[in-house]
Each structure stands twice: as C-alpha cells, then as structure tokens.
Amino acid sequence: MKVLKPEWVSHDGKPIFSIDIHPDDSRVATGGQGNDSGKVVIWNMAPIRDPKEEADENVPRILCQMDSHLGCVNCVRWSENGKFLASGGDDKLIMIWQISRGFGSGKSFGSNVTIVEHWRAVATLRGHSGDVLDLAWSPQDVWLASCSVDNTIVIWNAHKFSEQIAILKGHSGLVKGVTWDPVGKYLASQSDDKTLRVWRTGDWKEETSVTSCFKECGGTTHVLRLNWSPDGNHIVSAHAMNNAGPTAQIVERTGWGTSLDFVGHRKAITVVRFNPKILSKHIKKSSDKQQQQYSCCAIGSKDRSLSIWLTALKRPLVVMHDMFEGSVLDVSWSRTGLELVCCSIDGSVAYLGFDEQEIGVPMPKDDQQAFLEKVYGKSILANKTPNAPSQIIESAAVLNLQQQQQQQQQHQQQHSEASLGAMSTPSKSSSSIFVNGDMPFKMCPQPRDKQIETRTSDGTRRITPIFLAPQPDVGEVGIPTPFTSKSIAFKTTKESSKIIIEKQDRVTMPGMNTTSNSSQSQSMQSTPQPSTPKGEGGEGKKRSVEGTPMEIDRPATTATTATPSAEKDKPSSPTTQADKDKTTAPLTDKDTKTTIADKTKEVEKERKGDRDQEKDREKPRTPGLLSLKKHKVGRGRPRKADKEAREALMTAALTHTLPTINVEREAPQPVVSSQNLQLPVPIISKTTSRLVEGQTGGDNNLTVEVENDLAAGTGQLHRCRCLRTGTVLWEQILSSRVLAVAGSRHVTCVACEDKTVNLYGAGGKRLLPPLMLGSAVSVLRCTGHYVMAVTSHGYLYIWNTTQLKAVVQAQSLSSVMSGGERIIHATLTSEGVPVLTVSSGKSYSFAPEIGSWMVVSNREDRLQMCSDHQHCVPSKPRSTGPLASVQGGGRAMQQAGRVFQSSSHMQHVSTLSHLETQMATCLALKSSSEYRFWLETYIRYLAQEGLEEKLRTVCDDLLGPIFSRSSGASAWQPTILGTNKREFLKRILPTIGANLRWQRLYTEYQEQLESLDT
C-alpha cells in the first residue's frame, strides 16, 4: 500500500468538503471554500499518484478552477460516463459542468491560476430552498439526486437538467446524504432526524424507514454520506450508535435488517464509500480453496481516521490514524478499485494506492453487470428513460403520448443538426450563428495567413490586428479524453513563416478608422453607437416620448416660454397655486443638488433660467403668502429651519382659504380627497410631441404635437395636431393651454389647464364637448378606445369612447393613497382596466363591477417573494402584461428558503396561495396570456406535488359537463378571457401525462375529450 499526502492540493488553507475521482482516473475534483465564494478545482491525477510526475515542472497540477458558486461548495460528483461534473453548495444551487473544446491554456479569470482545460456551466439547477449537502448520479446517468437542509430530496432528469422528476418529502430534519441502488430500483437517504429512508424509484414512494440504530445518536455531523454496496446487498450508514459507541450500521437489502455494523472508531462516522468493484481473492482463514467474492468499504470519521474494511473479514484491513487535523468529510475510489483519495475539513487531501494482492482482484465491468442481472434481473435503467419504466403503461393513450414526444424530440434534433450543417458552410447572406440560443456569433471570413502593414504619421510601422474569436461549443460535446501531460507538449519548427505581408501606402492615426476595400479593415470598424432620435426637422427642442404620454415622477422642463406678465393677467385660485407649489418645489431644492455635480455648466445655466421663470410665474396670489415670501427671501442657500417654517405657514394659509372655493362646494365628494391628496400637475411646455404609433423616425408613425401660446391678435391660442410620418392629418385650436396629451390610433385626448379634457376621434372629429373635471389632470393615459385621467385631487376617470359612456366615475384614490404618497406608474390595459402603482410599493386596480379597489401587487408581500414555484414554470417565456409590468421579472420570488427553510409544509401552502392569487389577479386584469401562463404553472405544481384532488378540480372546470342536460351545464362557461377551456385542457394534458404517476388521470380526461370531439 502506498500513502501520499500532497500538500499542494489545497484551497489556499480553506476547508475541502468533497472530493471525487473522474471515471478515467486522470482527473480528480475537489469542492470547498474559496476566498470569497465557493471553489471547484479539477486536479491532474498523475502528480498526485506519482512523485516523479510531481517533480516535473512541465506537468500541470491544476487543470481548471471554477469560482461560480456564491457559497461554499459542499459536494462534487462526476457522472458515471465522466461527461458532466455536478457541484452543489450553500448558495442553494446545483451547477452542471462540461468541458469546453477549442480553448487553450491561460489564466483563470480573477486569479493567477493557470488552467489547462476549460469547463463551463451548462446548467444551473434551482429547486432547493436551503444549502445543498450531497449529490448522487443514478446508474447509467439517468437521474441526479440532490439533498438539502430544506428536508427534501430532488430527483432531476439528467437528460434535461432543468426538469424535476420528483421531490421526495418525508424527512423532518436536514438531509445530509443520498445513494443509489446499483440496479436503480431504490434510493436511500439519511437525515438529522435520526432516520435512514429507502425510496422506490418506480413510484417515488417510501419503501422503509430505519430508526432503531440511530436512537442513541447525540449531536450531529456536517454530512451523513451513506453508500450502497456494489453487489446491492447492503447499505452502510453514517453516524449510528451501538452500546453507546459510534458505528457504521449495515442495513441488509433483504428485510432491511440491522443486525451487523462496523465498529472501532472513537467518534461519529461522517462518510462511507464502497469500492465500485466486486473483489475476489483467496482468504487464508477460509477452508474453501476457491476465491471468495466480497466488497471493500472505506469509512471516515470525526476522529480524523480512515478505516478500510473487507466484507469477508471481521476486522478492518487497515486503519489510518491521525491522517488529518480535522474530520474526514469525503472519500472517493477510482474506477479501477485500486486507488483512493480522501479529504478533510482541515483543507488537505490524502492518497492511498493498493495492489491486487492487498485488496483483491477487481471483477471486470461486464462480468459485474452480468452478476447483477443474474441476481436482480435486468436493470430498470437499461433503456435510459427518465420516467421510471418499472411502472407498467396501462393504456394505449399514454403509449401514444410517449411516442409523440419522442417523435417531437427527434424532429427537434434533426432540425438542430440541419441548422448546424447550414452554419458550418456560411454563405454571403448568413454570416452569424447562434450560440446556446443566445447572441449571434460572428464568423471569421478574414484570411489567417495575411498581415496588413501600414505606417503612422511619424513613420512607425503599424500591423492591423485580426480578431480570431474562439469557436463556440456548437453541437454535442463528447466525453473528455483522459488527460496526459503529453497533450500540452510544445513543439518548435525551423520552417519559415507562411504569413503574407501586405504593405499599404496610407497613413493611419491612433483611434482613427480608415476605409479600405479589404474585408480586413472593414472587420476592424467598431460597432456604431445608437444615436439619440431627434424631433422633426432635426431640432432637439421637441420632445418625443414612446409609450405612455406623460412622465409622472419628474416632468420634463422643455422650452417653457410663459412670461410672468401673462401669468399675472390670468386669474387663479389658491388650489391651483398649491398644485403648482407641490409640482415645482422639488425642482428648486432637491433637483438642484443632483444636477450640479453631473451636468455641464451650459445645461445647468439653461435649467437655472427655467427655474427663474417658474419662480416668477409662481408668485403668491394671496396677501398672506406674499408677505411670507418677502419676509423669508434672502441670499444664499436657505436654512432648514426657515424652509420648514415657510412650508408650515404656506400649508396653514392654504387650509384657511380652501373652504371659500366654489368648485369644491359644487362637487361635495372631492372635498375629502382635496385635503389629503395633492398630486403633481405636468409642467406646461411650449411644444410637446407624443408618439402614438410606430417608432421614432420610422415609417408610417403617428405623432400628436401640441403648441401653446400662439399669438392671435391681443390674445393667445393653442394648437393640437396629428401627423402621420410628418404629414398633418388634422389639427384643432384650443382656448386653454395644454397640460398633457395622449392617444391611440382610435382616439386622441388632450388635457388643458382649465381642468377640461377634450376627446377627438379618427380624423380629428370631436367626440364630446370639453369634459369638466374637479381639478387639473395629473395623469393621462389612452389605450385603444379607452381614456383614463387622474386629477390632482386624486380622482380616477375612465371613459369608453366607442360607447361614449363612463366606465369609472370620479373614484377617489384616498382609500389606497395617503397624502405623502405619489403615483410612480400608471397603465391602462386594452380592456379598460387601470393599474396604478404608488410610492409605497403597492399596485392597485379598480373593478367597477364590484365597486372596490383591488391589490394587484405588493413589493412587501411575503407570498410573492417566497413562492417556490420557479421550477414549475413553462419552458416558454413568460408573456408580458399588466401583472408582469408591476411585479417585474420574478427573481425576487427565489428567496423561499430564507423564510420557510424550517417548514416545508408552510412553504408548500404558501406557494399554492400565491399561484391561486396570481390567477385571480389575471382574471381581474382581464389578461388572457398571463392567465394561461399562471394556470399552466399551477397545474404543473399540482402534478409535481401529487395533489390529485386539486388537479381534478382544475381539469373538471376546464372539461365542463359532458352532457348538455347534466346538472351545472347552464352555469359552466366554455371560455375564459377569450380562451376555450377544452382547447387549453388538450394542451396541458401532455404535461400531466409525461409523468407516469398520472397516467390514469391523463387517460380518463383524454378519453372524455375524444368523446366530445366525436
């Protein structure tokens, strides 16, 4: 036996929690803690096992280093064929790594480590809400099992990593170890709840639970890595107790008995790992002269020792004491069965080498497979299908479904191969390919044997560089070949260079793009930066805003040309003065601080002039306010105390004058809101332009332009006109200045300073006389035939311009907003449903059918933040809609483990509540595409969690009554939000039937749908 302990195999003194040898025995992977993240390192096995290779400086030690995990890496495991490396860590993620071809050696990003191989993460699995502690690949790499501190085991489809086959729930403590039966019939797991559970892979139900040998266990260990023997006869557990002594319990396959155990360690067992080979040799004490078959087991403990056991002997073959300064956390055997590596929490690694005389003769792989088939029958994983084939397919419908899915996969594969073949021969019309379905990868048509040489102005020679991008991993990447030091040997040649030097008679300047007829110089030109779209005629004075017609947070101040004298001549009330004070106060105090530091002097000067004009316009109209202004005016920056006193006096003056306003007396409802809500009014601009349809600068775009303060004799008029690609379609003259404008292809709405709203149809036809509101408009939106207005006193109006009637009439916002809040986002759906988001983080919608406000979204809603449904969302991208616009991309919902880490039942119920709330909200918003998305997610979650009753309730509602005379037939609606329920059931049934667990349910509803069609 050979024992080595290479000191250079370390994570810079940080703990190493896992180690695993590659199936080709040329690499070994370690996982543990890095400097500021989790670290996975792939080492060259040759210098570890051979001191001569270790002494050779030309032999690399580190092959690759990956620092993508955000938390400590607790487990690394190679797949059985060696193609993938799985790593799980404290960041609740499982990353699947695959070698990347076409790259040479170089420095690892962010470190000084020179790497020889490049391994990239081809999949990131998100399904656990807590730290991932152990991983295990099933025989023939059909499934990947992962366990976590969230008390669950997740079974992943290794043929499609993002798909979860099952979530096994039953443990009441942290699950710290998983292992597969060598024939794929069972999965065993061990947890801190002092149980070892065996699960059937046929239906993913619990087969048995072993508890007797763990009752005396006290304390815990970082991991509980149990293991199954290669002959399938035994499971050896970690951290068991017998007569108050730590043992490794042997659980027999027949009857799951616990009569035997491995004893001798002084502290708790942390890891058990069987030699993957069935061994055989002649045991001296045996009277039988024939060779005896047995298994070999390595056991690591918290007592810093490692013991090697043969099942044919009563005592250990060898015991290594004090190999480490800390607990042994992981052990790995080579596929030959003659090498072993182990790691410790102290950050060191040890190597043990055996020969056949010491440990026995390994059984060949084919013979071992034949032995297992003889004892247990043919492996259920022989056909390598992710669904458990031990479940008998009971109907032809499920069989047809599987055949259809296989045909679709073959069609997709043929299509991808055809597209790959087309990309391998690029044509003139196709010069880019897509990598991983992402950004296009530019081909490299430039000659690689040509060098272009120019001169600078001072005569220095300049060589034009050629960009040679590394070729991406297009297509299937095979299993990595065994690593040898010869693969990186450098060679030199005495042959002269074959590069052709082309000298061009032109002078180049640094940072200057020069034109050339060659494709080489064209490829060097940088990508043009997108230019800012200008208004009509190339002038930057006109504003053109796509989408919504008015910004609420910070209104733009462009080309304000009103004069103080004109403002003095125009009568105004104290209420409008308060609105202006509310609107312009942030521009005079807060925004000045933020713009001085990051804007140029010229822009600041222009803004300062605009503020001066605003101050002149905003002179108080009451004597009390006038005397207050004169008393507080001074040089320099006002003091905070003076500012607070001025605001308090102004509020008192406004409160004193409000009861005398006649407008509020005529409309008694707005009195309550006017005292609490004062929403900002858009600043009046000289010119305003709104893009209604199309793109800025594009063809056939529709734009609405407004011009205020046009000279008309002794007075002033104001014009609104509609243009199609610069051609005026119609125009209207208004007597009051325009505050805001919005429109669609069907209707244009204009809000004026005199508290009126004007509606114009196609061709500029006025639909109604000016609509008089209680106060000036703060928000104006238009979508389709619907128009929405929110006044400065906090009242909501919605009109249907087709039927010329009000959908919502003066609905107060005081029930959903307080005086200090503001509207930060407002939308109007195509169905006329309003969605308002206020500064508190909540979004509301008003339902006129029930006459009440509804909470659409809440940033502080724990259900929204902690729902664990991400692994059940459909593969297609989420449809955009009003709900998605206020809830964002959904990454905030991936925090489930932080809140419900200790209670899986609470997390389960919370996820159901959130999904049902999402569906109800989509119905209220009349968002058809989003409702279909969340309904499909809900059905997927029910199927995964095994909630048959709820699943049948949803399917029954989608199916409806079979016979028209049956009870409830008249109440059932065949469509929902324009979607046929039965057609949607047809689309969702294959998702349910893909899991053989629901084959009877699938067959039942499939037959009923077919009977309805006939």
Side-chain angles (χ1 to χ4, degrees), residues 765-804:
K765 177 184 176 182
R766 179 179 283 274
L767 301 179
L768 291 171
L771 305 179
M772 191 67 187
L773 306 182
S775 57
V777 170
S778 175
V779 179
L780 189 64
R781 296 287 184 270
C782 181
T783 304
H785 295 281
Y786 294 92
V787 176
M788 178 182 72
V790 179
T791 64
S792 61
H793 285 175
Y795 283 89
L796 173 68
Y797 298 85
I798 297 179
W799 300 282
N800 186 337
T801 59
T802 302
Q803 302 176 359
L804 296 181

Coordinates of all heavy atoms in Angstrom, one line a residue, residues 765-804:
K765 N -62.3 64.4 -35.4 CA -63.7 64.7 -35.1 C -63.8 64.8 -33.6 O -63.4 63.8 -32.9 CB -64.6 63.7 -35.7 CG -66.0 63.9 -35.3 CD -66.9 62.8 -35.8 CE -68.3 62.9 -35.4 NZ -69.2 61.8 -35.9
R766 N -64.4 65.9 -33.1 CA -64.6 66.0 -31.6 C -65.8 65.0 -31.2 O -66.9 65.1 -31.8 CB -65.0 67.4 -31.3 CG -65.3 67.6 -29.8 CD -65.6 69.0 -29.4 NE -64.4 69.9 -29.4 CZ -63.6 70.0 -28.3 NH1 -63.9 69.4 -27.2 NH2 -62.6 70.8 -28.4
L767 N -65.5 64.2 -30.3 CA -66.5 63.2 -29.8 C -67.5 63.8 -28.8 O -68.7 63.4 -28.9 CB -65.8 62.0 -29.2 CG -64.8 61.2 -30.1 CD1 -64.1 60.1 -29.4 CD2 -65.5 60.7 -31.4
L768 N -67.0 64.6 -27.9 CA -67.9 65.2 -26.9 C -67.4 66.6 -26.6 O -66.3 67.0 -26.9 CB -67.8 64.4 -25.6 CG -68.4 63.0 -25.6 CD1 -68.0 62.2 -24.3 CD2 -69.9 63.0 -25.7
P769 N -68.3 67.4 -26.1 CA -67.8 68.8 -25.6 C -66.8 68.6 -24.6 O -66.6 67.5 -24.0 CB -69.1 69.4 -25.1 CG -70.2 68.6 -25.7 CD -69.7 67.2 -25.9
P770 N -66.0 69.6 -24.3 CA -65.0 69.5 -23.2 C -65.6 69.0 -21.9 O -66.6 69.5 -21.4 CB -64.4 70.9 -23.1 CG -64.7 71.6 -24.4 CD -66.0 71.0 -24.9
L771 N -64.9 68.0 -21.4 CA -65.3 67.4 -20.1 C -64.7 68.1 -19.0 O -63.5 68.2 -18.9 CB -64.9 65.9 -20.1 CG -65.4 65.0 -21.2 CD1 -64.9 63.6 -21.1 CD2 -66.9 65.0 -21.4
M772 N -65.5 68.6 -18.1 CA -65.1 69.4 -16.9 C -64.8 68.5 -15.7 O -65.7 67.8 -15.3 CB -66.1 70.5 -16.6 CG -65.6 71.5 -15.6 SD -64.3 72.5 -16.3 CE -63.7 73.4 -14.9
L773 N -63.6 68.6 -15.2 CA -63.2 67.8 -14.1 C -63.1 68.7 -12.8 O -63.0 69.9 -13.0 CB -61.9 67.1 -14.3 CG -61.8 66.2 -15.6 CD1 -60.5 65.5 -15.7 CD2 -63.0 65.2 -15.6
G774 N -63.0 68.1 -11.7 CA -62.9 68.9 -10.5 C -61.6 69.6 -10.3 O -61.5 70.6 -9.5
S775 N -60.5 69.1 -10.9 CA -59.2 69.7 -10.8 C -58.4 69.4 -12.0 O -58.8 68.6 -12.9 CB -58.5 69.3 -9.5 OG -58.4 67.8 -9.5
A776 N -57.2 69.9 -12.1 CA -56.3 69.7 -13.3 C -55.9 68.2 -13.3 O -55.8 67.5 -12.3 CB -55.1 70.6 -13.2
V777 N -55.6 67.8 -14.5 CA -55.2 66.4 -14.8 C -53.8 66.2 -14.3 O -52.9 67.0 -14.7 CB -55.4 66.0 -16.2 CG1 -54.8 64.7 -16.5 CG2 -56.9 66.0 -16.6
S778 N -53.5 65.1 -13.6 CA -52.2 64.8 -13.2 C -51.6 63.6 -14.1 O -50.4 63.6 -14.4 CB -52.1 64.4 -11.7 OG -50.8 63.9 -11.3
V779 N -52.5 62.7 -14.4 CA -52.1 61.5 -15.2 C -53.1 61.4 -16.3 O -54.3 61.4 -16.1 CB -52.0 60.2 -14.4 CG1 -51.6 59.0 -15.2 CG2 -51.0 60.4 -13.2
L780 N -52.6 61.2 -17.5 CA -53.5 61.0 -18.7 C -53.0 59.8 -19.5 O -51.8 59.7 -19.9 CB -53.5 62.2 -19.6 CG -54.6 62.2 -20.7 CD1 -56.0 62.2 -20.1 CD2 -54.4 63.4 -21.6
R781 N -53.8 58.8 -19.7 CA -53.5 57.6 -20.5 C -54.6 57.3 -21.5 O -55.7 57.6 -21.3 CB -53.3 56.4 -19.6 CG -52.2 56.5 -18.6 CD -50.8 56.4 -19.3 NE -49.8 56.4 -18.3 CZ -49.1 57.5 -17.9 NH1 -49.5 58.7 -18.4 NH2 -48.2 57.5 -17.0
C782 N -54.1 56.7 -22.6 CA -55.1 56.3 -23.6 C -54.6 55.0 -24.3 O -53.5 54.8 -24.7 CB -55.2 57.4 -24.7 SG -56.3 57.0 -26.0
T783 N -55.5 54.0 -24.3 CA -55.2 52.7 -24.9 C -56.4 52.2 -25.6 O -57.5 52.0 -25.0 CB -54.8 51.6 -23.8 OG1 -53.7 52.1 -23.0 CG2 -54.4 50.3 -24.4
G784 N -56.3 52.0 -26.9 CA -57.4 51.5 -27.7 C -58.5 52.6 -27.7 O -58.3 53.8 -28.1
H785 N -59.7 52.2 -27.3 CA -60.9 53.1 -27.3 C -61.1 53.6 -25.9 O -62.1 54.3 -25.6 CB -62.2 52.3 -27.7 CG -62.1 51.9 -29.1 ND1 -62.4 52.8 -30.2 CD2 -61.9 50.7 -29.7 CE1 -62.3 52.1 -31.3 NE2 -62.0 50.8 -31.1
Y786 N -60.2 53.4 -24.9 CA -60.4 53.8 -23.5 C -59.4 54.9 -23.2 O -58.3 55.0 -23.7 CB -60.1 52.6 -22.6 CG -61.1 51.5 -22.7 CD1 -60.9 50.4 -23.5 CD2 -62.3 51.5 -22.0 CE1 -61.8 49.4 -23.7 CE2 -63.2 50.5 -22.1 CZ -63.0 49.5 -22.9 OH -63.9 48.5 -23.0
V787 N -59.9 55.9 -22.4 CA -59.1 57.0 -21.9 C -59.2 57.0 -20.4 O -60.3 56.9 -19.8 CB -59.7 58.3 -22.5 CG1 -58.9 59.5 -21.9 CG2 -59.6 58.3 -24.0
M788 N -58.1 57.2 -19.7 CA -58.0 57.3 -18.3 C -57.4 58.6 -17.9 O -56.4 59.1 -18.5 CB -57.2 56.2 -17.7 CG -57.0 56.2 -16.2 SD -56.0 54.8 -15.5 CE -54.4 55.4 -16.1
A789 N -58.0 59.3 -16.8 CA -57.4 60.5 -16.3 C -57.5 60.4 -14.8 O -58.4 59.9 -14.2 CB -58.3 61.7 -16.8
V790 N -56.4 60.9 -14.2 CA -56.3 61.0 -12.7 C -56.1 62.5 -12.4 O -55.1 63.1 -12.9 CB -55.2 60.1 -12.1 CG1 -55.1 60.3 -10.6 CG2 -55.4 58.7 -12.5
T791 N -56.9 63.1 -11.6 CA -56.8 64.5 -11.3 C -55.8 64.8 -10.2 O -55.4 63.8 -9.5 CB -58.2 65.1 -11.0 OG1 -58.7 64.5 -9.8 CG2 -59.2 64.8 -12.1
S792 N -55.5 66.0 -10.0 CA -54.5 66.4 -9.0 C -55.1 66.2 -7.6 O -54.4 66.1 -6.6 CB -54.1 67.8 -9.2 OG -55.2 68.7 -9.1
H793 N -56.5 66.2 -7.5 CA -57.1 65.9 -6.2 C -57.3 64.4 -5.9 O -58.0 64.1 -5.0 CB -58.4 66.7 -6.1 CG -58.3 68.1 -5.9 ND1 -59.3 69.0 -5.9 CD2 -57.1 68.9 -5.7 CE1 -58.9 70.3 -5.7 NE2 -57.5 70.2 -5.6
G794 N -56.8 63.6 -6.8 CA -56.9 62.2 -6.6 C -58.2 61.5 -7.0 O -58.7 60.7 -6.2
Y795 N -58.7 61.8 -8.2 CA -59.9 61.2 -8.6 C -59.6 60.5 -10.0 O -58.9 61.0 -10.8 CB -61.1 62.2 -8.8 CG -61.7 62.5 -7.5 CD1 -61.1 63.6 -6.7 CD2 -62.7 61.8 -6.9 CE1 -61.7 63.9 -5.5 CE2 -63.3 62.1 -5.7 CZ -62.7 63.2 -5.0 OH -63.3 63.5 -3.8
L796 N -60.2 59.3 -10.1 CA -60.0 58.5 -11.3 C -61.2 58.5 -12.2 O -62.3 58.3 -11.7 CB -59.7 57.0 -10.9 CG -59.6 56.0 -12.0 CD1 -58.3 56.2 -12.9 CD2 -59.5 54.6 -11.4
Y797 N -60.9 58.7 -13.5 CA -62.0 58.7 -14.5 C -61.5 57.8 -15.6 O -60.4 57.8 -16.1 CB -62.2 60.1 -15.1 CG -62.7 61.1 -14.1 CD1 -61.8 61.9 -13.3 CD2 -64.1 61.4 -14.0 CE1 -62.3 62.8 -12.4 CE2 -64.5 62.4 -13.1 CZ -63.6 63.1 -12.3 OH -64.1 64.0 -11.4
I798 N -62.5 57.0 -16.2 CA -62.2 56.1 -17.3 C -63.4 56.2 -18.2 O -64.6 56.1 -17.8 CB -61.9 54.7 -17.0 CG1 -60.6 54.6 -16.1 CG2 -61.8 53.8 -18.2 CD1 -60.3 53.2 -15.7
W799 N -63.2 56.5 -19.5 CA -64.3 56.7 -20.5 C -64.1 55.6 -21.6 O -63.0 55.4 -22.1 CB -64.3 58.1 -21.1 CG -64.5 59.1 -20.1 CD1 -65.7 59.5 -19.4 CD2 -63.5 60.0 -19.5 NE1 -65.5 60.5 -18.5 CE2 -64.2 60.9 -18.6 CE3 -62.2 60.2 -19.7 CZ2 -63.5 61.8 -17.9 CZ3 -61.5 61.1 -19.0 CH2 -62.1 62.0 -18.1
N800 N -65.2 55.1 -22.1 CA -65.2 54.3 -23.3 C -65.7 55.1 -24.4 O -66.8 55.6 -24.5 CB -66.2 53.1 -23.1 CG -66.2 52.1 -24.3 OD1 -65.8 52.5 -25.4 ND2 -66.6 50.9 -24.0
T801 N -64.8 55.5 -25.3 CA -65.1 56.4 -26.4 C -65.9 55.8 -27.5 O -66.5 56.5 -28.3 CB -63.8 57.0 -27.0 OG1 -63.0 55.9 -27.5 CG2 -63.0 57.7 -26.0
T802 N -66.0 54.5 -27.6 CA -66.8 53.9 -28.6 C -68.3 54.0 -28.2 O -69.2 54.3 -29.0 CB -66.5 52.4 -28.7 OG1 -65.1 52.3 -29.1 CG2 -67.3 51.7 -29.8
Q803 N -68.6 53.7 -26.9 CA -70.0 53.8 -26.5 C -70.3 55.1 -25.8 O -71.4 55.4 -25.5 CB -70.3 52.7 -25.4 CG -70.0 51.3 -26.0 CD -70.2 50.2 -24.9 OE1 -70.5 50.5 -23.7 NE2 -70.0 49.0 -25.3
L804 N -69.3 56.0 -25.7 CA -69.4 57.3 -25.1 C -70.1 57.3 -23.8 O -71.1 57.9 -23.5 CB -70.2 58.2 -26.1 CG -69.5 58.5 -27.5 CD1 -70.4 59.4 -28.3 CD2 -68.2 59.1 -27.3

